[in-house]
Amino acid sequence: MLLHCRAMNTLVAASDIADLVEKVEAGQRLNPEDGLRLFATRDIAALGYAANLVRERLHGDVTTYIVNRYLHYSNVCWDTCKFCSFYRKPGEPGSFTRSVPEIIDWARRFEGQGVQELHIVGGLHPSLKYDYYLDLLRGLKTVLPGTSLKGFTAVEVDWFARIARKDARTVMRDLHDAGLDSLTGGGAEIFAEHVRKLICPNKIDAARYFEIHGIAHEMGLKTQVTMLYGHIESDADRVDHLLRVRDHQDRTNGFQVFIPLAYHPENNALKARRATGMTDLKVYAVSRLMLDNVPHIKCYWISAGLKLAQVALSHGVDDLDGIVYEHERIFHDAGSATPQQLSEDALRKMITDAGRTPCRRDARYRLLEAVGAAD
Ligand code: SF4
């Protein structure tokens, strides 16, 4: 280990980001110029070393995951975001909207299975009534009282406010009273306006996104935040995105995890290229380094791929998403070739093979087993 550290110190000293690694070692906050240099470096070893330093400071070897399920209540959406492969217009082949009783029946199969979290995904449905969403939450909470309900993006909450003619705070209160425990991080995409205008011109802006998450944070809910990368954004746009998250987190401390999501090019209008593995690793590492106030960096393996997820565990990532997917659609519709399901044993083996310690967690990132327990 000592030899390894000496060798790494020698390598880092010769790196073009050696001064930034020193800042990280000293626990200093990185500035926007630092972020740009981190994205520009080709020295992935030094970058990974620095990100891993922060990761191990915060979490040691522990890599968490959650036993969860995904619920897609509908894929019908009036919007037409250019990167999206998920949405369908009403009546279009492949479109679906599940009724509340149908969903509750579906959820019953998970009773007693120890499912910690249900992740609820949909679009901006042009005709579903506001009560549909409240009835859905109430019904799910009745059937799965011990399961945390993480649902809807800030974009959906804004849509609910419009259809219900209520303000966002009242909507968040209604949703929470009906059983919602957390918001998903979707809809963040890239916060820079000039990129949003091109890839999702109708979507709420960054200010509204943070306003809605801020309301949730004031209510005591913890939420997550994402970044869709690898399409038309620049390194400066990524750094800007990370700094907006960091600024908000300085005020509310309500984000418990940051999730970089790689753009997938199939079946959507954007037609950009999928980012390379090197870009993926850089994004994870730079996110870990810039977001010094966000506790967790997650790799969504269903999008990144299992092998890259394994390597990401030494480039800043400490959390992997889920073990079993009920026909995941968002990324598979966009061309992801990852498996639809992964057993818990397989996920734990993947983590252990990466030299990390797997640990089940709950929706609030509390560890559910003794760390260090042998597999
Ligand atoms: S990203 Fe969301 S809002 Fe945009 S088209 Fe897809 S489902 Fe609709």
Side-chain angles (χ1 to χ4, degrees):
M1 188 61 165
L2 191 61
L3 266 179
H4 170 77
C5 288
R6 280 195 187 132
M8 184 52 82
N9 286 343
T10 307
L11 281 173
V12 168
S15 171
D16 63 334
I17 56 167
D19 58 322
L20 302 185
V21 176
E22 275 180 25
K23 277 180 90 168
V24 173
E25 285 174 332
Q28 293 171 15
R29 176 164 272 197
L30 299 176
N31 62 38
E33 292 71 35
D34 296 338
L36 287 172
R37 285 183 55 206
L38 292 174
F39 273 120
T41 187
R42 289 172 175 254
D43 193 346
I44 192 70
L47 184 59
Y49 165 78
N52 195 51
L53 199 67
V54 177
R55 183 249 200 256
E56 291 191 358
R57 239 182 231 156
L58 291 169
H59 309 292
D61 272 337
V62 171
T63 295
T64 48
Y65 64 92
I66 192 165
V67 177
N68 62 353
R69 298 290 184 275
Y70 271 61
L71 164 62
H72 302 86
Y73 60 89
S74 174
N75 63 352
V76 174
C77 184
W78 65 260
D79 207 346
T80 53
C81 301
K82 290 196 170 53
F83 57 82
C84 181
S85 311
F86 174 70
Y87 77 84
R88 298 288 184 277
K89 293 293 145 202
E92 188 181 338
S95 64
F96 67 89
T97 300
R98 299 163 79 181
S99 70
V100 171
E102 187 187 344
I103 292 170
I104 303 308
D105 270 356
W106 167 86
R108 281 187 211 288
R109 74 175 81 164
F110 306 127
E111 283 175 293
Q113 288 187 12
V115 175
Q116 290 290 328
E117 186 177 80
L118 191 64
H119 183 126
I120 304 168
V121 180
L124 309 180
H125 200 291
S127 57
L128 283 178
K129 302 285 183 257
Y130 184 51
D131 280 348
Y132 169 92
Y133 304 99
L134 301 180
D135 291 344
L136 175 66
L137 292 168
R138 287 189 201 106
L140 288 169
K141 212 54 174 181
T142 304
V143 175
L144 301 171
T147 298
S148 183
L149 301 182
K150 178 176 76 184
F152 314 124
T153 64
V155 183
E156 284 165 282
V157 173
D158 174 79
W159 176 241
F160 301 159
R162 286 201 259 167
I163 61 174
R165 296 175 193 266
K166 296 182 176 197
D167 58 71
R169 188 172 299 275
T170 306
V171 168
M172 275 308 305
R173 176 56 61 196
D174 289 348
L175 294 171
H176 187 42
D177 287 348
L180 187 74
D181 295 297
S182 177
L183 285 182
T184 73
E189 324 314 354
I190 286 285
F191 288 130
E193 279 311 309
H194 64 277
V195 178
R196 282 182 103 71
K197 267 189 200 149
L198 293 174
I199 66 171
C200 51
N202 306 318
K203 215 164 222 176
I204 61 170
D205 63 10
R208 182 68 164 160
Y209 180 95
F210 284 114
E211 179 195 345
I212 288 170
H213 278 268
I215 291 168
H217 298 163
E218 277 174 34
M219 290 167 53
L221 276 64
K222 292 289 186 185
T223 68
Q224 54 185 42
V225 54
T226 60
M227 175 173 77
L228 185 74
Y229 69 91
H231 40 90
I232 60 168
E233 87 288 359
S234 65
D235 288 349
D237 297 327
R238 291 178 193 157
V239 171
D240 170 73
H241 189 97
L242 294 169
L243 292 177
R244 292 190 202 215
V245 173
R246 191 169 79 181
D247 287 350
H248 181 90
Q249 183 75 341
D250 276 343
R251 291 193 293 278
T252 71
N253 198 31
F255 292 127
Q256 56 184 358
V257 60
F258 181 75
I259 314 170
L261 297 169
Y263 163 74
H264 282 256
E266 286 183 26
N267 305 317
N268 59 63
L270 198 51
K271 301 292 172 221
R273 284 197 188 147
R274 168 77 170 87
T276 64
M278 190 63 86
T279 300
D280 290 333
L281 289 180
K282 271 191 183 179
V283 170
Y284 288 117
V286 179
S287 301
R288 178 62 287 167
L289 291 169
M290 298 303 290
L291 297 177
D292 55 5
N293 53 3
V294 176
H296 301 282
I297 304 292
K298 177 187 286 195
C299 177
Y300 191 48
W301 64 258
I302 204 103
S303 156
L306 288 165
K307 291 178 180 173
L308 191 117
Q310 208 175 19
V311 181
L313 295 181
S314 54
H315 289 74
V317 169
D318 65 283
D319 185 47
L320 294 177
D321 196 65
I323 58 165
V324 181
Y325 290 85
E326 270 293 302
H327 190 49
E328 194 282 338
R329 299 189 70 110
I330 304 277
F331 289 97
H332 284 94
D333 285 356
S336 175
T338 54
Q340 287 281 2
Q341 299 195 348
L342 185 67
S343 73
E344 186 165 7
D345 281 351
L347 184 73
R348 292 181 76 92
K349 181 169 185 338
M350 172 189 147
I351 294 169
T352 308
D353 282 354
R356 300 303 193 189
T357 306
C359 188
R360 267 193 189 203
R361 66 167 174 86
D362 70 7
R364 284 277 186 144
Y365 280 82
R366 290 173 291 233
L367 304 187
L368 297 178
E369 58 188 299
V371 172
D375 255 18

Coordinates of all heavy atoms in Angstrom, one line a residue, residues 233-289:
E233 N -23.8 19.7 -24.8 CA -23.3 20.6 -23.8 C -21.7 20.7 -23.8 O -21.1 19.8 -24.2 CB -23.8 20.2 -22.4 CG -23.0 19.2 -21.7 CD -23.0 17.8 -22.2 OE1 -23.7 17.6 -23.2 OE2 -22.3 16.9 -21.7
S234 N -21.2 21.8 -23.3 CA -19.8 22.0 -23.3 C -19.3 21.7 -21.8 O -20.1 21.6 -20.9 CB -19.4 23.4 -23.6 OG -19.9 24.3 -22.6
D235 N -18.0 21.6 -21.7 CA -17.5 21.5 -20.3 C -17.9 22.6 -19.4 O -18.2 22.5 -18.2 CB -15.9 21.5 -20.3 CG -15.4 20.2 -20.9 OD1 -16.2 19.2 -21.1 OD2 -14.2 20.1 -21.2
A236 N -17.9 23.9 -20.0 CA -18.4 25.0 -19.2 C -19.8 24.9 -18.8 O -20.2 25.3 -17.6 CB -18.2 26.3 -20.0
D237 N -20.7 24.3 -19.6 CA -22.1 24.1 -19.2 C -22.1 23.1 -18.1 O -23.0 23.2 -17.2 CB -22.9 23.5 -20.4 CG -22.9 24.5 -21.6 OD1 -22.9 25.8 -21.3 OD2 -22.9 24.1 -22.7
R238 N -21.3 22.0 -18.1 CA -21.3 21.0 -17.0 C -20.8 21.7 -15.7 O -21.4 21.5 -14.7 CB -20.3 19.9 -17.4 CG -20.8 19.0 -18.5 CD -19.8 17.9 -18.8 NE -20.1 17.3 -20.1 CZ -19.1 16.7 -20.8 NH1 -17.9 16.6 -20.4 NH2 -19.5 16.1 -21.9
V239 N -19.8 22.5 -15.8 CA -19.3 23.1 -14.6 C -20.4 24.1 -14.0 O -20.6 24.1 -12.8 CB -18.0 23.9 -14.9 CG1 -17.6 24.7 -13.6 CG2 -16.9 22.9 -15.2
D240 N -21.0 24.8 -14.9 CA -22.1 25.7 -14.5 C -23.2 24.9 -13.8 O -23.7 25.3 -12.8 CB -22.6 26.4 -15.7 CG -23.9 27.2 -15.5 OD1 -23.8 28.2 -14.8 OD2 -25.0 26.7 -15.9
H241 N -23.5 23.8 -14.4 CA -24.6 22.9 -13.8 C -24.2 22.5 -12.4 O -25.0 22.6 -11.4 CB -24.8 21.7 -14.7 CG -25.9 20.8 -14.4 ND1 -27.1 20.9 -15.1 CD2 -26.1 19.9 -13.5 CE1 -28.0 20.1 -14.6 NE2 -27.4 19.4 -13.6
L242 N -23.0 22.0 -12.2 CA -22.5 21.5 -10.9 C -22.5 22.7 -9.9 O -22.9 22.5 -8.7 CB -21.1 20.9 -11.1 CG -21.0 19.6 -11.9 CD1 -19.6 19.2 -12.2 CD2 -21.8 18.5 -11.2
L243 N -22.1 23.8 -10.3 CA -22.0 25.0 -9.4 C -23.4 25.4 -9.0 O -23.6 25.9 -7.8 CB -21.2 26.1 -10.0 CG -19.7 25.8 -10.2 CD1 -19.0 26.9 -10.8 CD2 -19.1 25.5 -8.8
R244 N -24.4 25.4 -9.9 CA -25.7 25.7 -9.5 C -26.2 24.8 -8.4 O -26.9 25.2 -7.5 CB -26.7 25.7 -10.7 CG -26.4 26.8 -11.7 CD -27.5 26.9 -12.7 NE -27.0 27.5 -13.9 CZ -27.8 28.3 -14.7 NH1 -29.1 28.5 -14.3 NH2 -27.4 28.8 -15.8
V245 N -25.9 23.5 -8.6 CA -26.3 22.5 -7.6 C -25.6 22.8 -6.3 O -26.3 22.8 -5.2 CB -26.0 21.0 -8.1 CG1 -26.2 20.0 -7.0 CG2 -26.8 20.7 -9.3
R246 N -24.4 23.1 -6.3 CA -23.6 23.3 -5.1 C -24.1 24.5 -4.4 O -24.2 24.5 -3.1 CB -22.1 23.5 -5.4 CG -21.2 23.5 -4.2 CD -19.7 23.4 -4.6 NE -19.2 24.7 -5.1 CZ -18.0 24.8 -5.5 NH1 -17.1 23.8 -5.6 NH2 -17.5 26.0 -5.9
D247 N -24.4 25.6 -5.1 CA -25.0 26.8 -4.5 C -26.3 26.6 -3.8 O -26.5 27.0 -2.7 CB -25.2 27.9 -5.6 CG -23.9 28.5 -6.1 OD1 -22.8 28.2 -5.4 OD2 -23.9 29.2 -7.1
H248 N -27.2 25.8 -4.5 CA -28.5 25.5 -3.9 C -28.3 24.6 -2.6 O -28.9 24.9 -1.6 CB -29.4 24.8 -4.9 CG -30.7 24.4 -4.3 ND1 -31.8 25.3 -4.4 CD2 -31.2 23.4 -3.6 CE1 -32.8 24.7 -3.8 NE2 -32.5 23.6 -3.3
Q249 N -27.4 23.7 -2.7 CA -27.1 22.8 -1.6 C -26.5 23.6 -0.4 O -26.9 23.2 0.8 CB -26.2 21.7 -2.0 CG -25.9 20.6 -1.0 CD -27.0 19.7 -0.8 OE1 -28.2 19.9 -1.1 NE2 -26.7 18.5 -0.1
D250 N -25.7 24.6 -0.7 CA -25.2 25.4 0.4 C -26.4 26.1 1.2 O -26.3 26.3 2.4 CB -24.3 26.5 -0.1 CG -22.9 26.1 -0.3 OD1 -22.5 25.0 0.2 OD2 -22.2 26.8 -1.1
R251 N -27.5 26.3 0.5 CA -28.6 27.0 1.2 C -29.5 26.0 1.9 O -30.1 26.3 2.9 CB -29.4 27.8 0.1 CG -28.7 29.0 -0.4 CD -29.6 30.0 -1.1 NE -30.1 29.4 -2.4 CZ -29.4 29.4 -3.5 NH1 -28.2 29.9 -3.6 NH2 -29.9 28.8 -4.6
T252 N -29.8 24.8 1.2 CA -30.9 24.0 1.8 C -30.4 22.6 2.3 O -31.0 22.0 3.1 CB -31.9 23.6 0.7 OG1 -31.3 22.7 -0.3 CG2 -32.4 24.9 0.0
N253 N -29.2 22.2 1.8 CA -28.7 20.8 2.2 C -29.7 19.7 2.0 O -29.8 18.7 2.8 CB -28.3 20.9 3.7 CG -27.3 19.7 4.0 OD1 -26.6 19.3 3.1 ND2 -27.4 19.2 5.2
G254 N -30.6 19.9 1.0 CA -31.6 18.9 0.8 C -31.4 17.8 -0.3 O -32.1 16.9 -0.4
F255 N -30.3 18.0 -1.1 CA -30.0 17.0 -2.0 C -29.2 15.9 -1.4 O -28.1 16.2 -0.8 CB -29.2 17.6 -3.2 CG -29.9 18.5 -4.1 CD1 -29.4 19.8 -4.4 CD2 -31.2 18.1 -4.7 CE1 -30.1 20.6 -5.2 CE2 -31.9 19.0 -5.5 CZ -31.3 20.3 -5.7
Q256 N -29.6 14.7 -1.5 CA -28.8 13.6 -0.8 C -27.9 12.9 -1.8 O -27.0 12.2 -1.4 CB -29.7 12.7 0.0 CG -30.8 12.0 -0.8 CD -31.6 11.1 0.2 OE1 -31.3 11.0 1.4 NE2 -32.6 10.5 -0.3
V257 N -28.2 13.1 -3.1 CA -27.4 12.4 -4.1 C -27.4 13.2 -5.4 O -28.4 13.8 -5.8 CB -27.9 10.9 -4.3 CG1 -29.3 10.9 -4.7 CG2 -27.0 10.2 -5.2
F258 N -26.3 13.1 -6.1 CA -26.2 13.6 -7.5 C -26.0 12.5 -8.5 O -25.2 11.6 -8.2 CB -25.0 14.6 -7.6 CG -24.8 15.2 -9.0 CD1 -25.7 16.2 -9.4 CD2 -23.8 14.8 -9.8 CE1 -25.5 16.8 -10.6 CE2 -23.7 15.3 -11.1 CZ -24.5 16.3 -11.5
I259 N -26.7 12.5 -9.6 CA -26.7 11.4 -10.5 C -26.4 11.9 -11.9 O -27.3 12.5 -12.6 CB -28.1 10.6 -10.5 CG1 -28.6 10.4 -9.1 CG2 -28.0 9.3 -11.3 CD1 -30.0 9.9 -9.0
P260 N -25.2 11.7 -12.4 CA -24.9 12.0 -13.8 C -25.6 10.9 -14.7 O -25.5 9.7 -14.4 CB -23.4 11.8 -13.9 CG -22.9 11.8 -12.5 CD -24.0 11.2 -11.7
L261 N -26.3 11.3 -15.7 CA -27.0 10.4 -16.6 C -26.4 10.6 -18.0 O -26.5 11.8 -18.6 CB -28.5 10.7 -16.6 CG -29.2 10.4 -15.3 CD1 -30.6 11.0 -15.3 CD2 -29.2 9.0 -14.9
A262 N -25.9 9.6 -18.6 CA -25.4 9.7 -20.0 C -26.5 9.7 -21.0 O -27.5 8.9 -20.9 CB -24.5 8.5 -20.3
Y263 N -26.5 10.7 -21.9 CA -27.4 10.7 -23.0 C -27.3 9.4 -23.9 O -26.2 9.0 -24.2 CB -27.2 12.0 -23.9 CG -27.8 11.9 -25.3 CD1 -29.2 12.1 -25.4 CD2 -27.1 11.6 -26.4 CE1 -29.8 12.0 -26.6 CE2 -27.6 11.6 -27.6 CZ -29.0 11.7 -27.8 OH -29.6 11.6 -29.0
H264 N -28.4 8.9 -24.3 CA -28.5 7.7 -25.2 C -29.1 8.1 -26.5 O -30.2 8.8 -26.5 CB -29.2 6.5 -24.6 CG -28.4 5.8 -23.5 ND1 -27.8 4.6 -23.8 CD2 -28.0 6.1 -22.3 CE1 -27.1 4.2 -22.7 NE2 -27.3 5.1 -21.8
P265 N -28.5 7.8 -27.6 CA -29.0 8.4 -28.9 C -30.1 7.8 -29.7 O -30.6 8.4 -30.6 CB -27.7 8.4 -29.7 CG -26.9 7.2 -29.2 CD -27.3 7.0 -27.8
E266 N -30.6 6.6 -29.3 CA -31.5 5.9 -30.1 C -33.0 6.4 -29.9 O -33.4 6.7 -28.8 CB -31.5 4.4 -29.9 CG -30.2 3.8 -30.6 CD -30.2 2.3 -30.5 OE1 -31.2 1.6 -30.4 OE2 -29.0 1.8 -30.5
N267 N -33.7 6.4 -31.0 CA -35.2 6.7 -30.9 C -35.5 8.1 -30.4 O -36.5 8.3 -29.7 CB -35.9 5.7 -30.1 CG -35.7 4.3 -30.6 OD1 -35.7 4.1 -31.8 ND2 -35.5 3.3 -29.7
N268 N -34.6 9.1 -30.6 CA -35.0 10.4 -30.2 C -34.4 11.4 -31.3 O -33.6 11.0 -32.1 CB -34.5 10.8 -28.8 CG -33.0 10.6 -28.6 OD1 -32.2 11.3 -29.3 ND2 -32.6 9.7 -27.8
A269 N -34.8 12.6 -31.1 CA -34.6 13.6 -32.2 C -33.2 14.3 -32.1 O -32.8 15.0 -33.1 CB -35.7 14.7 -32.2
L270 N -32.5 14.1 -31.1 CA -31.3 14.9 -30.9 C -30.1 14.4 -31.7 O -29.3 15.2 -32.2 CB -30.9 14.8 -29.4 CG -29.9 15.9 -28.9 CD1 -30.3 17.3 -29.3 CD2 -29.8 15.8 -27.4
K271 N -30.0 13.1 -31.9 CA -29.0 12.5 -32.7 C -27.6 12.9 -32.4 O -26.8 13.0 -33.3 CB -29.3 12.8 -34.2 CG -30.7 12.3 -34.7 CD -30.7 10.8 -34.8 CE -32.1 10.3 -35.0 NZ -32.6 9.2 -34.3
A272 N -27.3 13.1 -31.2 CA -25.9 13.3 -30.8 C -25.3 11.9 -30.6 O -25.9 10.9 -30.7 CB -25.8 14.1 -29.5
R273 N -24.0 11.9 -30.2 CA -23.3 10.6 -30.0 C -23.3 10.3 -28.6 O -23.2 11.2 -27.7 CB -21.9 10.7 -30.5 CG -21.7 10.7 -32.0 CD -20.3 10.4 -32.3 NE -20.1 10.5 -33.8 CZ -19.0 10.9 -34.3 NH1 -17.9 11.2 -33.6 NH2 -18.9 11.0 -35.6
R274 N -23.3 9.0 -28.2 CA -23.1 8.6 -26.9 C -21.7 8.9 -26.4 O -20.7 8.7 -27.1 CB -23.4 7.0 -26.8 CG -23.0 6.3 -25.5 CD -24.0 6.6 -24.4 NE -23.7 5.7 -23.2 CZ -22.9 6.1 -22.2 NH1 -22.3 7.2 -22.2 NH2 -22.8 5.2 -21.2
A275 N -21.6 9.5 -25.2 CA -20.3 9.8 -24.6 C -19.4 8.6 -24.5 O -19.9 7.5 -24.4 CB -20.5 10.5 -23.2
T276 N -18.1 8.8 -24.6 CA -17.2 7.7 -24.4 C -17.0 7.3 -23.0 O -17.4 8.1 -22.1 CB -15.8 8.0 -25.0 OG1 -15.3 9.1 -24.2 CG2 -15.9 8.5 -26.4
G277 N -16.4 6.2 -22.7 CA -16.2 5.7 -21.3 C -15.3 6.7 -20.6 O -15.5 7.0 -19.4
M278 N -14.4 7.4 -21.3 CA -13.5 8.3 -20.6 C -14.3 9.5 -20.1 O -14.1 10.0 -19.0 CB -12.4 8.8 -21.6 CG -11.3 9.6 -21.0 SD -10.4 8.7 -19.8 CE -9.2 7.9 -20.8
T279 N -15.2 10.0 -21.0 CA -16.1 11.1 -20.6 C -16.9 10.7 -19.4 O -17.1 11.5 -18.4 CB -17.0 11.6 -21.7 OG1 -16.1 12.0 -22.8 CG2 -17.9 12.7 -21.3
D280 N -17.5 9.5 -19.4 CA -18.3 9.0 -18.3 C -17.5 9.1 -17.0 O -18.0 9.7 -16.0 CB -18.7 7.6 -18.5 CG -19.7 7.4 -19.6 OD1 -20.5 8.3 -19.9 OD2 -19.8 6.3 -20.2
L281 N -16.3 8.6 -17.0 CA -15.5 8.6 -15.8 C -15.1 10.0 -15.3 O -15.1 10.3 -14.1 CB -14.2 7.7 -16.0 CG -14.4 6.2 -16.1 CD1 -13.1 5.5 -16.3 CD2 -15.1 5.7 -14.8
K282 N -14.8 10.8 -16.3 CA -14.5 12.2 -15.9 C -15.7 12.9 -15.3 O -15.6 13.6 -14.3 CB -14.2 13.0 -17.2 CG -12.7 13.0 -17.6 CD -12.5 14.1 -18.7 CE -11.1 14.0 -19.1 NZ -10.8 15.0 -20.2
V283 N -16.9 12.7 -15.8 CA -18.1 13.3 -15.3 C -18.3 12.9 -13.8 O -18.6 13.7 -12.9 CB -19.3 13.1 -16.1 CG1 -20.6 13.5 -15.5 CG2 -19.2 13.8 -17.5
Y284 N -18.2 11.5 -13.6 CA -18.3 11.1 -12.2 C -17.3 11.7 -11.3 O -17.6 12.2 -10.2 CB -18.2 9.5 -12.1 CG -19.4 8.8 -12.7 CD1 -19.2 8.0 -13.9 CD2 -20.6 8.9 -12.2 CE1 -20.3 7.3 -14.4 CE2 -21.7 8.3 -12.8 CZ -21.5 7.5 -13.9 OH -22.6 6.9 -14.4
A285 N -16.0 11.7 -11.7 CA -14.9 12.2 -10.9 C -15.1 13.7 -10.6 O -15.0 14.2 -9.5 CB -13.6 11.9 -11.5
V286 N -15.3 14.5 -11.7 CA -15.4 15.9 -11.5 C -16.7 16.3 -10.6 O -16.6 17.2 -9.8 CB -15.5 16.7 -12.8 CG1 -15.6 18.2 -12.6 CG2 -14.2 16.4 -13.7
S287 N -17.7 15.5 -10.8 CA -18.9 15.7 -10.0 C -18.6 15.5 -8.5 O -19.0 16.4 -7.7 CB -20.1 14.8 -10.4 OG -20.4 15.0 -11.7
R288 N -17.9 14.5 -8.2 CA -17.5 14.2 -6.8 C -16.6 15.3 -6.3 O -16.8 15.7 -5.1 CB -16.7 12.8 -6.8 CG -16.2 12.4 -5.4 CD -17.3 12.2 -4.4 NE -17.9 13.5 -3.9 CZ -19.1 13.6 -3.2 NH1 -19.7 12.5 -2.8 NH2 -19.5 14.7 -2.8
L289 N -15.7 15.8 -7.1 CA -14.8 16.9 -6.6 C -15.5 18.2 -6.5 O -15.2 19.0 -5.5 CB -13.6 17.0 -7.6 CG -12.7 15.7 -7.6 CD1 -11.7 15.7 -8.7 CD2 -12.0 15.6 -6.2

